């Protein structure tokens, strides 16, 4: 049976080829690998190292169990034995009480994103495999997911600065473990993976062989459908005028619901879009509406017909100034290089915070934007006093303003209107469930 055959170097190279081309195999262009220490991600590291020399592993210690630090060090040792350079990322602030798995996941991805960005890494490989994909489908079906959600995890997912690769989604966990045993490698078993208090664990333990066969067919079908929708959205995105201040101008007929959902997330900064049912109703009969942290209104003098903007009343984020800050999941802060910080910037770093402009938007009438757009923009305050609205500043402004201090903010949401993410299987390169 195929389930007893290790994953060969040639088979893995073919799986990676579908994501290419890649930069030359040079230390200046490493590909990242997220490694937990379990069998799946450790096997991914082994296969990646056989395929390419220029790799960089990241081991995340969540700090949720007393033994996690020792396990992380053990994993780094195993990676070094494979010839894979590894870096430890230690998380703090996870309390281990509520929403443990979702909270740990969000913190883990934030740390991985930052680590890759700091090292110029553009691709990060993840160890999700076929069993994970089947569990994801089953979980989403149980929660009434849309057809898009039923496509499961993307084989590749692009964000503005990083591409996530999942080359093992067609490989079972059993084959990955056999591959490690064949190479004489050991791994760590996380006890939480057997704890039935977690819904995913219950699904994993209760799935029958028949359930898995049916899930493979569903994933192939829904994945192909989502890839087709993705291509169609690329053509429709030209109907949208996206402004650098974070709002979108739309025509008399709103974009189809799938594109509208993505647009709503971009403008609101929300992790999930509003209900598909509500968006479909808006598409059929456009009207002013406030949903999920964004509001749809008539665009007036700005042109087109409709404007989709952040709902100012929904913004609560007030965050200390820091270079690289992503405020309200929409605006990224940049600051002066160390050693070149002006006195004003030093004061902003020590005492400043970024929050919504709010009611003080009425003092910015010289700008050709509605009050509600201005009210939702990030504003710099020092010791409670409004100093500047960085994304409105003139680049030639004098010292004492955000621009003069080298502080700037740009609209940088975690999603883009279109990307090259992939879900379905390519019949020319692989078979569903192979």
């Amino acid at each position: 049976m195929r389930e007893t055959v290790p994953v060969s170097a040639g088979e893995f190279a073919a799986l990676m080829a579908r994501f290419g081309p890649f930069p030359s195999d040079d230390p200046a262009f490493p590909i990242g690998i997220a490694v937990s220490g379990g069998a799946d991600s450790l096997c991914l590291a082994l296969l990646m190292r056989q395929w390419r020399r220029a790799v960089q592993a990241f081991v995340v210690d969540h700090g949720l169990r007393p033994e996690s630090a020792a396990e992380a060090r053990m994993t780094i040792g195993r990676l070094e034995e494979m010839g894979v350079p590894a870096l430890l990322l230690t998380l703090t602030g996870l309390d281990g009480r509520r929403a443990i798995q979702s909270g740990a996941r969000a913190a883990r991805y934030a740390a991985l994103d930052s680590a890759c960005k700091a090292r110029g890494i553009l691709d990060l490989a993840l160890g999700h495999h076929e069993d994970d994909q089947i569990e994801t489908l089953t979980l989403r079906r149980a929660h009434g997911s849309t057809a898009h959600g039923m496509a499961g995890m993307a084989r590749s997912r692009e964000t503005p600065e990083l591409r996530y690769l999942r080359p093992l989604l067609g490989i079972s966990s059993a084959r990955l473990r056999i591959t490690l045993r064949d190479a004489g490698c050991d791994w760590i078993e996380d006890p939480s993976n057997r704890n039935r208090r977690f819904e995913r664990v219950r699904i994993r333990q209760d799935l029958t062989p028949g359930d898995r066969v049916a899930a493979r067919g569903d994933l192939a079908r829904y994945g192909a459908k989502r890839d087709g929708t993705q291509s169609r959205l690329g053509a429709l995105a030209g109907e949208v005028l996206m402004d650098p201040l974070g709002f979108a101008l739309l025509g008399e007929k709103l974009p189809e619901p799938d594109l509208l959902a993505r647009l709503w997330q971009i403008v609101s900064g929300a992790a999930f879009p509003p209900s598909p049912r509500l968006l479909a109703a808006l598409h059929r009969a456009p009207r002013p509406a406030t949903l999920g942290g964004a509001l749809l209104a008539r665009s007036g003098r700005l042109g087109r017909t409709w404007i989709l903007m952040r709902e100012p009343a929904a913004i609560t984020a007030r965050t200390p100034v820091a270079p690289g800050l992503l405020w309200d999941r929409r605006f990224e802060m940049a600051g002066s290089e160390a050693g070149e910080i002006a006195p004003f910037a030093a004061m902003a770093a020590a005492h400043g915070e970024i929050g919504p402009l709010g009611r003080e938007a009425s003092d910015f009438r010289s700008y050709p934007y509605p009050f509600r757009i201005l009210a939702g923009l990030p504003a710099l305050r020092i010791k409670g006093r409004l100093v500047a609205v960085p994304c409105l500043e003139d680049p030639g402004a004098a010292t004492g303003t955000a621009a003069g201090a080298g502080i700037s903010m740009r609209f940088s949401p975690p999603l883009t209107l279109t990307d090259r993410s992939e879900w379905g299987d390519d019949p020319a390169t692989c078979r569903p469930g192979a």
Side-chain angles (χ1 to χ4, degrees):
M1 289 181 61
R2 187 169 174 77
E3 290 298 303
T4 64
V5 178
V7 181
S8 69
E11 181 182 0
F12 185 76
L15 292 172
M16 291 302 296
R18 68 184 299 169
F19 303 122
F22 290 94
S24 61
D25 191 1
D26 184 285
F29 308 110
I31 295 178
I33 315 169
V35 181
S36 67
D40 313 320
S41 60
L42 208 59
C43 186
L44 172 65
L46 173 68
L47 293 167
M48 289 283 290
R49 183 61 182 81
Q50 293 173 349
W51 171 69
R52 181 184 178 93
R53 295 188 62 83
V55 293
Q56 171 66 61
F58 299 100
V59 178
V60 179
D61 174 15
H62 298 84
L64 291 173
R65 295 183 291 114
E67 59 271 29
S68 66
E71 290 176 350
R73 290 193 297 272
M74 184 185 302
T75 299
I76 287 179
R78 287 170 175 163
L79 289 166
E80 290 175 346
E81 289 175 3
M82 294 178 186
V84 177
L87 181 69
L88 176 63
L89 305 177
T90 303
L91 305 184
T92 58
L94 295 174
D95 61 20
R97 291 192 295 271
R98 294 184 303 163
I100 299 173
Q101 289 192 328
S102 60
R105 180 183 183 279
R108 177 171 65 253
Y109 275 100
L112 289 168
D113 288 357
S114 296
C116 288
K117 183 177 178 181
R119 290 158 183 79
I121 292 175
L122 301 178
D123 292 299
L124 177 67
L126 305 174
H128 297 117
H129 48 75
E130 183 185 60
D131 299 77
D132 292 328
Q133 185 76 305
I134 290 172
E135 292 161 15
T136 297
L137 169 67
T138 307
L139 182 66
R140 292 181 179 180
R141 176 180 281 137
H143 288 269
S145 177
T146 64
H148 270 197
M150 299 288 276
M153 293 177 282
R155 290 187 176 276
S156 67
R157 181 173 70 86
E158 292 195 7
T159 68
E161 296 179 325
L162 185 63
R163 183 173 63 151
Y164 297 92
L165 308 178
R166 295 184 175 97
L168 304 178
L169 280 185
I171 306 293
S172 70
S173 177
R175 288 193 67 202
L176 299 179
R177 289 165 184 259
I178 288 170
T179 304
L180 280 183
R181 291 193 187 103
D182 193 60
C185 298
D186 202 0
W187 62 86
I188 294 167
E189 292 286 0
D190 185 341
S192 67
N193 289 332
R194 300 186 299 274
N195 190 339
R196 285 184 67 87
R197 68 180 286 200
F198 300 119
E199 184 178 15
R200 182 177 283 272
V201 174
R202 296 194 297 273
I203 288 172
R204 179 181 307 138
Q205 294 176 350
D206 295 344
L207 280 168
T208 68
D211 293 333
R212 295 179 183 278
V213 171
R216 291 187 185 111
D218 289 340
L219 286 164
R221 183 171 63 257
Y222 284 116
K225 181 177 180 181
R226 185 156 187 179
D227 283 340
T229 300
Q230 189 81 352
S231 298
R232 190 169 70 255
L233 293 187
L236 293 173
E239 302 172 3
V240 177
L241 289 179
M242 199 76 220
D243 191 274
L245 292 184
F247 64 86
L249 293 173
L250 311 173
E252 182 176 355
K253 183 177 180 180
L254 295 181
E256 67 172 66
D258 291 335
L259 181 58
L260 190 59
R262 194 172 184 90
L263 189 60
W264 216 282
Q265 280 184 266
I266 290 171
V267 170
S268 68
F272 301 98
S275 157
R277 178 181 57 82
L278 295 176
L279 293 180
L282 278 179
H283 174 69
R284 289 192 302 269
R287 58 176 176 77
T290 301
L291 297 170
L295 60 92
L296 181 70
R298 294 284 178 178
S299 56
R301 68 178 184 272
L302 292 180
R304 295 264 175 144
T305 304
W306 296 98
I307 182 172
L308 184 64
M309 69 186 89
R310 182 71 162 110
E311 180 190 0
I315 304 175
T316 59
R318 285 174 171 76
T319 312
V321 168
L325 165 72
L326 183 62
W327 178 80
D328 196 40
R329 285 176 54 89
R330 299 180 303 130
F331 285 90
E332 184 179 29
M333 169 171 280
S336 298
E337 296 294 329
E340 300 178 2
I341 299 180
F344 175 80
M347 182 179 291
H351 306 288
E353 71 169 12
I354 299 293
L357 181 56
R359 295 179 181 176
E360 290 171 286
S362 58
D363 297 332
F364 290 76
R365 294 191 184 94
S366 60
Y367 290 92
Y369 304 108
F371 175 89
R372 287 184 294 187
I373 289 177
L374 294 169
L377 294 180
L380 171 64
R381 292 179 174 85
I382 297 180
K383 297 182 178 180
R385 183 175 66 87
L386 176 65
V387 173
V389 182
C391 54
L392 289 179
E393 287 290 343
D394 183 337
T399 300
T401 66
I407 296 174
S408 64
M409 300 199 76
R410 64 184 180 89
F411 185 57
S412 183
L415 289 177
T416 55
L417 273 178
T418 61
D419 59 39
R420 296 178 58 198
S421 300
E422 297 180 353
W423 279 265
D425 284 300
D426 181 353
T429 58
C430 60
R431 295 183 294 108

